[in-house]
Amino acid sequence: MRRRSLAAVAFAVSVGVLAALLTGTATAANDPGAAKANSRWLATKLKPDGTLENPNGGELPDHGLMLDVLFALYASGDGAKAEPIMKFLDDEGHATDYFTWDGLVPGAGYDKVIVGGSLAKTLVAAQVSGRDPRNVDGYDLVAETHAAIMRKGPDKGRISDYSKDPDLAGAVNNDANSFGQALGVIGLAAAGENDRIAIDRLLAQQCSEGYFRLVFEYIPTKETGDHVTPDGRKVSTCDEGKPLGRSPTDGDATGLALSALLAARKAGATGLGAPIAKTVSWLKANQTSGGGWGGGVSTEAPNTNSTGMIVQALADAGGAEAAVDKGVRYLKSAQANAADSGTKLAGDLGAIAYDPASYEAARTSGIGGADTWIRAGAQASLGLSQIGFYALAKGKTQPPASSVPAPATTTITTSVTPPPKPKKAGTSTGVRVRTSTAIATPDTATPAARLGAYLANRLTDGDHVEVTEDGKTYVDYDSTADVVLALRALDQQPDSVARASQFLVKPEAVQAYAHGAPYEQREASYAGPLAKLVLVAEFAKADIAGQLRADLVKLRGSDGKFTDTGSFADADETVERHAWAVLATAADPGPAVELLLSRQCADGTFPKHLDTVECGSGDLAATAAAVTALAARPHTDAAPSTRRPDGWSERRVSAFVSAVGALGVRPTGEGMVTGEGGEPDVALSAAVAAARQTAGLDASGTARSLGELVQPDGGLAKGSAGETDFPASLAAAQGVAGRSWLTAADSPLSPAIRLPLTEANPSGAPVLAAEQSGSPPSWLIWGLAGLAVLLLLTVIALVFVLRRSTKKKGATP
């Protein structure tokens, strides 16, 4: 069996459109508890000095596997357990045993021989563990990784095994593969130093189907040039290698390559949308019915090792929630759990087997060889934690098991965000309800009134949302803010709105939600929470609004991007998060609006992620958020303009009109938007309707359709059937109300423009799609009436001509 760590000493053994994949659904559910259980088990396998025995023998430990364990421990929030590993490599000077040949033959000058993949992996490990990557065991790993990228010759762009000493060059065979290439791209991206030729060389390892191969394969060629070896060979592209059988599929290489492309894109690399989309599409299509994925040659069968790496990457990419959830279930089906307390796995709770069959066998026979379980678990755990490699290298991890960070996801189509990491809407995490007398509504109450009472009853003590996990209870500040805005849109429960607003603007709540207290060890600020707090405070006319906005503006760079600070910073920036910040700074958005406009896709939609520079089509939820942000201005009693508003550029008008038009493409006649499975998507329907309403379009159809889904207890179910679901109910509020919170009473904002425009659009923006429901606008009615008259006159004329023609031919009339 092939060794499964990302890199060994030699590192040889262990056009789709992006936005079409970004469907606007909630983030797939991770399982931090399962990841932490595995981390506890993995930590017990480390020797006191942080090493793991090499199963191939020899004096050197298994450095590659040690770093795999380090990644898993940090991703789960248990990085302290990995400290002995970096202490061994850095403080005690053993890193060079891994990324040079010096450990194999000490003192013979082999410290000049660099193992490219191992070097890159050490760079990422240093970043993940918070070490200075420019001084590990005396080496600047960032500079060394750049140096390992060949700048000319057949291996141009390849992160290579090479010798700094020309006399030893002949002894070095370049065995570096796609694993090392991907890790090098990740490490340089995290350092803010993308190297384009390394990215392009990685892309050459992708076949047209979307997968990546593992090995850089040489093939014979008649070409000439620097890229050809003296004996007439060149490194093939993946497609060039296929006819010769040199480009087999490899799930491991594909998963890690996807993580690398995402990292490079987040660090500013362009032109990666289509390759990322192809990779995601291929991975989704090649998931087995059981939920797992296989690796490469000799490991093609589904296994937890490959599945963990792929799930991690897909969760980072977004748009594959169903596949990720299925993959998580596969991983957990091979993990020793509490139900094994009476089996031979009782002492190994949390351990993850290579596959479910191995787990079942171990229940009766025990773990025969821990090495395979360590290799499987170290990478499987990444799929349970679902922290992308770029975010991991930038210092983002799960919080320690004993604590939970205050910040939560802040998207306009929000979900419950229980610690220690935001979960998918509809998970079993409990929401504690108010302890005071429940608010009741008569059966004859409107859907808005019943939904308002339902949401108010979700407020513990009448002023905040609490969630429970693993027997512990936490304040969910993000959902509390969403409840406030939802009730504002519904125009319901003013007492609950006032109490929850007062709770949120208290200094201790602000410090927890927007600045990470008490979990941050240094000063921190989060743009998404700050933006929501600004809006909640302005609605409530609280004095703190000005200071909150000032703190938010400090996070805005000259390019218009809002960048979080702190250990729990949001590294996966979305258009929806940016939209919240634009709304909260509507009086002075600076370059933030221009940045948003620059991300619009060719069809008028907006992508899910702000770092997507090029796209053909985007995400409806992100587009709804962008429309709302673009429409907003500080509140005024003046009616929205039907012409270009003062201060609006032609580009902004064009972008706004085309985005609103794109929102009218997918709704059904009942004002509902269908999701991936063809069923109406409650959250997405509400978001689209609210955004269209801010543009002056009718949203009554959505209000009627969603109102019919309100259940007897006042909430809505997720999907077409099932029990009442708090996240779905919360997300549905604007749709049930038939309006955005932005147009609610006492709103600090109001729309600046109303469609359709009464002047020709000089930008050539596409014509708006018809309203999704309700009475069509007057311009459409008169247009259709005119067309009907024209058609009638045409028919009359045609009949007259035909009658004359038939009579001339002697036909009977």
Side-chain angles (χ1 to χ4, degrees):
M1 181 178 67
R2 184 173 78 180
R3 287 190 59 200
R4 302 308 304 250
S5 68
L6 295 179
V9 172
F11 212 75
V13 186
S14 247
V15 148
V17 183
L18 171 65
L21 301 168
L22 304 178
T23 61
T25 53
T27 304
N30 62 346
D31 196 326
K36 290 179 183 298
N38 181 246
S39 289
R40 287 192 292 269
W41 183 84
L42 288 173
T44 66
K45 304 307 169 188
L46 294 172
K47 294 181 179 179
D49 63 355
T51 63
L52 289 167
E53 186 174 348
N54 195 321
N56 295 326
E59 295 182 359
L60 294 178
D62 193 331
H63 297 97
L65 183 56
M66 289 159 56
L67 296 189
D68 287 339
V69 170
L70 181 144
F71 296 149
L73 294 179
Y74 271 96
S76 71
D78 297 292
K81 294 182 173 66
E83 181 58 25
I85 298 174
M86 285 307 298
K87 182 178 180 181
F88 177 83
L89 294 174
D90 187 9
D91 300 345
E92 298 179 14
H94 293 292
T96 52
D97 293 345
Y98 180 44
F99 64 79
T100 77
W101 283 8
D102 191 50
L104 299 173
V105 187
Y110 287 121
D111 59 330
K112 300 295 184 182
V113 176
I114 301 296
V115 184
S118 300
L119 170 67
K121 191 170 185 179
T122 308
L123 166 60
V124 176
Q127 293 166 326
V128 169
S129 61
R131 297 273 175 151
D132 181 2
R134 296 188 179 277
N135 184 20
V136 174
D137 198 4
Y139 283 74
D140 182 340
L141 299 183
V142 177
E144 292 286 348
T145 302
H146 280 300
I149 301 171
M150 297 297 102
R151 303 293 166 177
K152 60 182 180 179
D155 290 319
K156 182 178 179 180
R158 184 176 173 189
I159 296 175
S160 299
D161 302 341
Y162 77 105
S163 175
K164 297 180 180 180
D165 184 350
D167 293 338
L168 296 175
V172 180
N173 188 45
N174 192 1
D175 292 322
N177 57 29
S178 293
F179 287 164
Q181 193 77 18
L183 285 165
V185 169
I186 291 169
L188 293 177
E193 297 188 13
N194 273 338
D195 205 319
R196 189 70 209 195
I197 64 171
I199 297 170
D200 290 341
R201 176 59 82 174
L202 178 62
L203 288 172
Q205 290 289 86
Q206 184 178 34
C207 273
S208 54
E209 295 88 342
Y211 72 85
F212 284 74
R213 67 179 181 183
L214 176 63
V215 179
F216 290 90
E217 291 281 3
Y218 281 86
I219 61 171
T221 183
K222 296 186 181 297
E223 298 173 11
T224 59
D226 183 52
H227 66 290
V228 179
T229 65
D231 59 349
R233 297 184 304 145
K234 71 170 186 176
V235 177
S236 66
T237 64
C238 189
D239 282 335
E240 288 174 334
K242 282 194 296 186
L244 301 177
R246 297 187 180 181
S247 298
T249 61
D250 194 296
D252 298 298
T254 303
L256 190 59
L258 175 57
S259 291
L261 296 182
L262 293 169
R265 188 178 67 178
K266 290 173 182 177
T270 60
L272 301 181
I276 288 172
K278 286 168 57 179
T279 309
V280 172
S281 180
W282 185 87
L283 287 171
K284 289 168 66 175
N286 284 272
Q287 185 177 27
T288 65
S289 58
W293 284 269
V297 177
S298 81
T299 62
E300 300 94 336
N303 61 83
T304 59
N305 185 289
S306 302
T307 300
M309 188 183 303
I310 291 169
V311 167
Q312 175 197 33
L314 286 178
D316 193 19
E321 284 75 20
V324 170
D325 285 342
K326 196 173 180 181
V328 169
R329 290 194 294 272
Y330 175 85
L331 294 172
K332 292 177 68 175
S333 72
Q335 183 175 29
N337 54 66
D340 295 311
S341 58
T343 72
K344 290 292 185 68
L345 287 174
D348 294 289
L349 299 185
I352 300 176
Y354 182 71
D355 54 32
S358 300
Y359 159 71
E360 290 295 339
R363 297 189 77 205
T364 57
S365 61
I367 295 177
D371 179 74
T372 301
W373 288 65
I374 296 172
R375 294 179 192 283
Q379 288 174 204
S381 185
L382 299 176
L384 298 174
S385 295
Q386 291 176 25
I387 304 292
F389 257 113
Y390 179 78
L392 195 58
K394 297 292 283 185
K396 181 178 179 181
T397 68
Q398 293 285 357
S402 60
S403 64
V404 180
T409 53
T410 52
T411 58
I412 288 179
T413 51
T414 53
S415 62
V416 170
T417 50
K421 188 174 183 286
K423 285 197 170 186
K424 184 178 180 181
T427 55
S428 59
T429 300
V431 178
R432 295 185 64 218
V433 300
R434 61 190 297 134
T435 56
S436 54
T437 304
I439 298 170
T441 56
D443 294 339
T444 56
T446 64
R450 287 187 285 139
L451 177 57
Y454 169 87
L455 293 176
N457 282 328
R458 268 53 244 158
L459 296 171
T460 300
D461 297 332
D463 62 7
H464 67 279
V465 177
E466 289 186 359
V467 292
T468 57
E469 184 173 291
D470 297 332
K472 296 181 180 180
T473 302
Y474 309 94
V475 175
D476 188 344
Y477 295 96
D478 196 55
S479 288
T480 304
D482 288 336
V483 168
V484 169
L485 296 177
L487 292 176
R488 292 280 190 185
L490 291 165
D491 194 21
Q492 297 291 325
Q493 304 298 328
D495 290 343
S496 295
V497 169
R499 292 183 64 183
S501 298
Q502 185 179 15
F503 175 89
L504 285 169
V505 299
K506 289 180 179 179
E508 56 268 30
V510 171
Q511 287 302 311
Y513 183 30
H515 303 291
Y519 308 106
E520 291 283 9
Q521 300 302 309
R522 57 184 184 277
E523 185 175 345
S525 291
Y526 314 126
L530 278 169
K532 284 193 178 182
L533 286 174
V534 167
L535 297 170
V536 168
E538 288 192 327
F539 257 118
K541 298 178 174 56
D543 294 338
I544 197 175
Q547 181 58 55
L548 292 170
R549 184 183 291 104
D551 289 344
L552 176 61
V553 170
K554 290 178 183 178
L555 301 180
R556 188 178 64 199
S558 59
D559 61 352
K561 182 182 292 187
F562 292 85
T563 304
D564 290 359
T565 61
S567 300
F568 299 108
D570 184 356
D572 190 20
E573 296 168 337
T574 64
V575 165
E576 292 176 277
R577 169 185 173 276
H578 186 72
W580 278 114
V582 171
L583 286 165
T585 56
D588 179 25
V593 167
E594 290 302 316
L595 176 63
L596 182 61
L597 295 176
S598 71
R599 296 306 190 257
Q600 190 171 29
C601 300
D603 68 347
T605 58
F606 284 78
K608 188 171 185 178
H609 296 280
L610 188 64
D611 56 12
T612 302
V613 180
E614 302 172 0
C615 57
S617 183
D619 175 66
L620 285 186
T623 305
V627 165
T628 304
L630 290 175
R633 61 177 169 177
H635 179 74
T636 173
D637 291 330
S641 175
T642 56
R643 298 174 180 269
R644 183 196 299 176
D646 293 340
W648 276 45
S649 65
E650 182 178 316
R651 179 188 186 190
R652 182 169 178 176
V653 173
S654 175
F656 181 76
V657 172
S658 60
V660 177
L663 289 176
V665 173
R666 278 176 51 187
T668 66
E670 295 75 32
M672 298 295 287
V673 181
T674 55
E676 278 187 321
E679 291 187 352
D681 187 318
V682 168
L684 195 54
S685 298
V688 168
R692 287 169 59 84
Q693 189 266 336
T694 64
L697 304 183
D698 181 64
S700 60
T702 305
R704 286 193 298 270
S705 295
L706 287 178
E708 293 173 357
L709 299 179
V710 174
Q711 301 199 29
D713 67 352
L716 285 85
K718 182 182 179 184
S720 59
E723 296 181 354
T724 303
D725 182 78
F726 173 66
S729 304
L730 183 56
Q734 295 184 99
V736 172
R739 68 175 180 186
S740 167
W741 58 262
L742 184 142
T743 60
D746 297 322
S747 174
L749 304 173
S750 58
I753 188 170
R754 176 174 61 83
L755 299 178
L757 300 181
T758 56
E759 62 180 349
N761 184 0
S763 307
V767 178
L768 282 174
E771 263 69 14
Q772 34 180 303
S773 58
S775 301
S778 59
W779 60 269
L780 182 59
I781 293 174
W782 286 108
L784 290 175
L787 180 61
V789 172
L790 179 61
L791 288 174
L792 179 60
L793 292 174
T794 302
V795 170
I796 293 172
L798 182 60
V799 170
F800 177 78
V801 171
L802 288 174
R803 286 175 61 89
R804 289 180 59 85
S805 175
T806 55
K807 285 185 176 182
K808 286 181 180 179
K809 295 177 182 178
T812 302

